[in-house]
Amino acid sequence: MESDPGFVAAVEEARKGAAEGGVPIGAALVSKDGTILGRGHNMRVQNGSATLHAEMSALENSGRLPASAYAGATMYTTLSPCDMCTGACILYKIKRVVIGENKNFLGGEEYLKNRGKEVVVLDHKECKQMMEKFIKEKPELWNEDIGV
C-alpha cells in the first residue's frame, strides 16, 4: 500500500508542506477506480487558515463533486486524522482511510471504524520522522494545529 499512487502523492504533499515551513502532513483523495481526485497538504501556516488541514486541502482541491464521486473512495493521509478531518471523511462517505502513521498523533480512527470505515495504518518511517522533527523544532505551531 505504501507504493499506491494515492499514498505516494500524500507523502509528496507532506514534503511540500515541510519545505514551505508548514506542518508536514499530506493527503490525497482517490476514487474507487484509482483516479486521484485531489491532493493537498496542511496550509494553516502558509495561508493563515484555521481549517486547512491536509485532508481538507485534498477535498478542496478535488473541487465540487457529486456525492457519487466519493462512493468507494479512499483518503490517504500521512498522519492520523483529527476530529475535523475524521468528520469530513464521514460526511462525504469516504470508504477507507489509509494512514501513514499514528504514533505522533492518534486521531479519530476508532470513530471512523465505529462508523463502518476501513482504517489502515502503515506505520511509515518517513511520515513518523517528518512529524517528529516538526514537533521538536516547532512545538508551538504543532500545538496550535491540534488545538492545544
Side-chain angles (χ1 to χ4, degrees):
M1 219 170 264
E2 291 181 15
S3 61
D4 284 2
F7 186 69
V8 170
V11 173
E12 288 171 356
E13 290 292 331
R15 290 180 192 136
K16 282 183 193 177
E20 294 168 357
V23 184
I25 304 170
L29 179 63
V30 178
S31 71
K32 66 182 170 191
D33 72 2
T35 302
I36 294 178
L37 300 172
R39 54 189 280 174
H41 53 278
N42 185 304
M43 296 288 293
R44 290 188 72 252
V45 173
Q46 299 91 316
N47 287 10
S49 171
T51 59
L52 208 48
H53 284 190
E55 298 88 344
M56 304 303 278
S57 182
L59 285 163
E60 180 69 20
N61 291 332
S62 297
R64 184 175 169 199
L65 298 172
S68 61
Y70 302 104
T74 298
M75 178 66 79
Y76 292 87
T77 181
T78 59
L79 184 67
S80 187
C82 73
D83 290 342
M84 175 178 63
C85 297
T86 293
C89 288
I90 290 168
L91 176 69
Y92 289 103
K93 297 177 178 53
I94 292 167
K95 178 182 176 183
R96 180 172 66 154
V97 180
V98 176
I99 299 165
E101 72 104 347
N102 65 1
K103 302 297 185 242
N104 287 294
F105 178 79
L106 179 60
E109 295 174 31
E110 284 306 312
Y111 188 57
L112 286 166
K113 291 175 189 175
N114 290 339
R115 295 296 300 265
K117 308 305 176 189
E118 179 185 355
V119 175
V120 178
V121 180
L122 301 177
D123 198 30
H124 190 263
K125 183 178 179 180
E126 183 182 359
C127 292
K128 283 193 286 193
Q129 290 173 338
M130 278 192 285
M131 285 309 304
E132 286 169 359
K133 181 177 190 279
F134 179 80
I135 292 168
K136 182 179 179 184
E137 293 177 357
K138 299 179 181 179
E140 69 289 343
L141 286 179
W142 172 241
N143 287 335
E144 178 186 304
D145 198 67
I146 59 172
V148 173

